[in-house]
Amino acid sequence: MSGREALQKQLRAEPPAGLDLPPEELQQLADLIRSARETQGKELEASLLGALDHIPRPLRGPVRKVFGL
């Protein structure tokens, strides 16, 4: 997969036309975006699990199901 294709996949859209970088830099940018999204997802899950501490115990199971945890 080329750097431009990898970036397009991560952006879920066509990269901006003015983004004229070498293919290896486009690949690096795509990798950085993927890594940032993974980190963001892990941090979001951790914060949701932390928020469960403020919910009464009998409701924690149903709340976990609602949030898909």
Side-chain angles (χ1 to χ4, degrees), residues 8-69:
Q8 182 178 4
K9 180 180 177 184
Q10 288 303 314
L11 293 176
R12 300 178 190 129
E14 188 65 33
L19 191 62
D20 294 328
L21 297 173
E24 58 274 358
E25 289 183 14
L26 289 173
Q27 181 65 48
Q28 184 180 16
L29 181 57
D31 292 342
L32 288 170
I33 292 171
R34 180 186 43 74
S35 176
R37 284 194 174 141
E38 288 175 0
T39 301
Q40 184 182 30
K42 290 175 185 175
E43 289 176 357
L44 179 59
E45 183 177 356
S47 68
L48 285 171
L49 290 173
L52 284 175
D53 292 340
H54 301 285
I55 296 175
R57 283 193 191 273
L59 298 176
R60 288 182 189 175
V63 170
R64 280 179 185 256
K65 287 182 182 178
V66 167
F67 285 112
L69 299 175

